[in-house]
Amino acid sequence: MTHNLGRLEDLSAAEPKLVEVDGLRLVLVRVGDEVHALDEMCAHQGGPLSEGKLSGARLTCPWHGWMFDVRTGQCLMPTRGGSVPSYPVRVENGDILLER
Ligand code: FES
């Protein structure tokens, strides 16, 4: 099933956005004209990644500063490990679509 998560033009490249879809809480992040979706809960202690700081493709959790690559969900602090689930998202005619 395809879920429409909104318009690309409404998603700021500077700010992650929380969306709820199909029982999931996801954080949407725009990098250029691409959009990535990660689980909203930080892999460390469940901090709200939608309130994190975005720098390019790097999202920093507001609670204790763990950093994640939004393209993969991988934690960028190798000694700490962990990753958050990521979900495939595509942009079609300006609509952000998630297949699930
Ligand atoms: S809960 Fe995210 S860094 Fe601790």
Side-chain angles (χ1 to χ4, degrees):
M1 182 174 179
T2 304
H3 299 273
N4 189 327
L5 305 181
R7 299 284 299 167
L8 180 66
E9 69 220 31
D10 296 333
L11 187 61
S12 162
E15 256 184 69
K17 181 180 178 188
L18 175 65
V19 294
E20 298 195 26
V21 55
D22 200 20
L24 293 173
R25 285 165 65 85
L26 303 179
V27 55
L28 286 186
V29 174
R30 178 173 178 172
V31 180
D33 283 338
E34 288 184 358
V35 178
H36 303 278
L38 299 180
D39 205 280
E40 149 78 349
M41 273 182 33
C42 178
H44 180 214
Q45 290 179 358
L49 291 178
S50 64
E51 295 171 25
K53 193 168 166 1
L54 190 57
S55 173
R58 190 182 66 199
L59 180 60
T60 303
C61 178
W63 281 8
H64 316 98
W66 280 31
M67 292 177 279
F68 298 90
D69 185 327
V70 299
R71 297 165 296 195
T72 60
Q74 189 62 47
C75 182
L76 294 172
M77 302 159 91
T79 55
R80 308 215 175 146
S83 62
V84 291
S86 69
Y87 299 85
V89 164
R90 68 180 194 278
V91 178
E92 227 174 73
N93 300 324
D95 287 318
I96 304 167
L97 305 176
L98 170 76
E99 212 65 56
R100 191 178 149 76

